[in-house]
Amino acid sequence: MISCLGDKDGNASGNGFLLLDSEFNVKGRWEKPGHSPLFGYDYWYQPRHKTMISTSWGAPAAFTKGFNLQDVSDGFYGRHLHVYNWPDGELKQTLDLGQSGLIPLEIRFLHDPSKDTGFVGCALSSNMVRFFKADDGSWSHEVAISVEPLKVQNWILPEMPGLITDFLISLDDRFLYFVNWLHGDIRQYNIEDPKNPVLAGQVWVGGLLRKGSPIVAIAEDGKTWQSDVPEVQGNLLRGGPQMIQLSLDGKRLYVTNSLFSAWDKQFYPELLEKGSHMLQIDVDTENGGLKINPNFFVDFGAEPDGPSLAHEMRYPGGDCTSDIWI
């Protein structure tokens, strides 16, 4: 099943889901007629609860040109979750996340198939929103983690959001990891109590606020600061952390740094010139904690056909961002 983003002209219509057979022939639409979402992007389903929930990025005509804050005000970006009956494709409920849930991208249920809760990363609001089934059988939501925007100098806006562009949940449902693509940090939260996530680790691997950047953050006392980002094997780290993937044992977190070429060009133009890279973050699964592995650096700037932009990562036999237990 493939989630669609819009029509051939880039409008936020024609959204929905295509079904393909094992030979990749299109069989038709999955959702029932008249049950298409307002915007499309990611989705996750929990078969035991007969539910699938999808997220909403925006109109391709808007985001393919780069990010423009006015497009948010003009209604070209989403803020809703769409709750479907699984596997029948009936839209049962639409959750309006409001200003706390602008541009919800990646979504994950807990891996435990009996659980009726999960999280969605809302990029522009920089919130992790928890969704859950209420006592009456409907679905509800609440902000579980907030990344406060930072006051900055020498940037296009007076405040900079973290921009949560990806997250995942470890296979044992103990930890949640997410990235702040603009700020430049990766975070680890203990979610053994999903209602009360606790910060367990944080590491800086790039971002717009790194030392040496003309952009600086302003602390409450008026002093300025920048993040300390180390070199890896003599390489300056480029861009900000974007897509992540976790090893099955939860001990190695891999991270790339390309979001979308038009947005890369806008916020991190050096990525197009020098290419992406992939890092390994070593995870302390006992006490919590993240560290950059100094011996691992994959340079996509050295590809035979020129610099490349690295994005998604997958384990061949299933992984933390694809496995759904029945």
Side-chain angles (χ1 to χ4, degrees):
M1 193 166 85
I2 296 178
S3 174
C4 300
L5 288 168
D7 64 19
K8 61 183 180 64
D9 297 317
N11 301 310
S13 61
N15 300 319
F17 308 90
L18 289 180
L19 281 178
L20 280 64
D21 65 16
S22 60
E23 297 181 347
F24 295 95
N25 298 306
V26 176
K27 304 299 290 185
R29 299 290 285 262
W30 171 73
E31 77 279 10
K32 291 184 179 298
H35 288 244
S36 297
L38 302 175
F39 293 96
Y41 188 57
D42 194 21
Y43 65 90
W44 197 274
Y45 57 95
Q46 197 69 304
R48 292 190 188 178
H49 292 277
K50 299 180 179 179
T51 296
M52 186 273 273
I53 303 180
S54 68
T55 66
S56 41
W57 183 2
F63 65 70
T64 54
K65 298 176 183 177
F67 180 72
N68 185 336
L69 191 59
Q70 184 62 43
D71 287 336
V72 179
S73 301
D74 291 342
F76 292 112
Y77 284 94
R79 65 181 201 185
H80 296 84
L81 298 182
H82 303 94
V83 183
Y84 285 87
N85 182 279
W86 180 269
D88 299 331
E90 178 185 359
L91 180 62
K92 300 189 299 182
Q93 188 180 353
T94 297
L95 301 177
D96 187 344
L97 304 181
Q99 294 299 306
S100 65
L102 297 176
I103 313 185
L105 294 179
E106 306 293 334
I107 187 168
R108 309 277 184 264
F109 270 99
L110 294 179
H111 292 287
D112 183 340
S114 68
K115 300 297 184 181
D116 59 358
T117 189
F119 296 85
V120 57
C122 302
L124 188 57
S125 300
S126 297
N127 289 325
M128 292 300 309
V129 171
R130 185 178 76 93
F131 56 88
F132 53 94
K133 187 182 288 187
D135 292 339
D136 63 0
S138 66
W139 292 82
S140 188
H141 64 91
E142 64 182 8
V143 174
I145 304 168
S146 292
V147 177
E148 296 298 323
L150 298 175
K151 294 182 179 179
V152 293
Q153 293 177 345
N154 307 321
W155 199 52
I156 55 177
L157 296 171
E159 291 189 338
M160 180 189 294
L163 209 74
I164 299 175
T165 54
D166 193 25
F167 85 98
L168 56 77
I169 298 172
S170 61
L171 283 180
D172 58 8
D173 288 337
R174 289 184 60 218
F175 293 108
L176 180 150
Y177 301 86
F178 70 76
V179 302
N180 288 305
W181 191 58
L182 295 182
H183 287 181
D185 60 314
I186 305 172
R187 299 191 185 189
Q188 174 194 35
Y189 282 82
N190 185 306
I191 57 166
E192 290 176 288
D193 178 2
K195 297 180 181 179
N196 298 289
V198 177
L199 182 64
Q202 184 178 25
V203 64
W204 295 86
V205 298
L208 294 174
L209 296 168
R210 61 178 303 149
K211 287 184 178 179
S213 168
I215 305 170
V216 296
I218 306 172
E220 292 184 0
D221 59 6
K223 294 182 180 179
T224 60
W225 67 271
Q226 293 178 311
S227 60
D228 190 7
V229 179
E231 294 184 0
V232 178
Q233 295 186 350
N235 296 283
L236 290 173
L237 301 188
R238 305 183 286 271
Q242 213 291 105
M243 300 303 287
I244 51 177
Q245 185 57 264
L246 186 66
S247 61
L248 301 184
D249 62 5
K251 297 181 181 298
R252 301 179 309 281
L253 185 71
Y254 297 97
V255 55
T256 56
N257 53 0
S258 171
L259 171 58
F260 184 72
S261 59
W263 293 33
D264 294 345
K265 183 178 180 180
Q266 181 177 359
F267 294 102
Y268 295 110
E270 65 175 349
L271 283 183
L272 279 73
E273 302 170 3
K274 300 179 180 180
S276 287
H277 53 61
M278 182 166 65
L279 305 174
Q280 178 181 315
I281 308 299
D282 294 331
V283 180
D284 184 339
T285 57
E286 298 297 324
N287 305 306
L290 304 174
K291 292 183 180 179
I292 298 175
N293 187 307
N295 302 313
F296 187 99
F297 185 86
V298 180
D299 189 356
F300 291 91
E303 292 298 300
D305 294 327
S308 300
L309 298 174
H311 186 72
E312 190 65 273
M313 295 163 284
R314 285 282 183 261
Y315 275 88
D319 53 50
C320 295
T321 58
S322 64
D323 277 1
I324 294 173
W325 309 105
I326 297 177

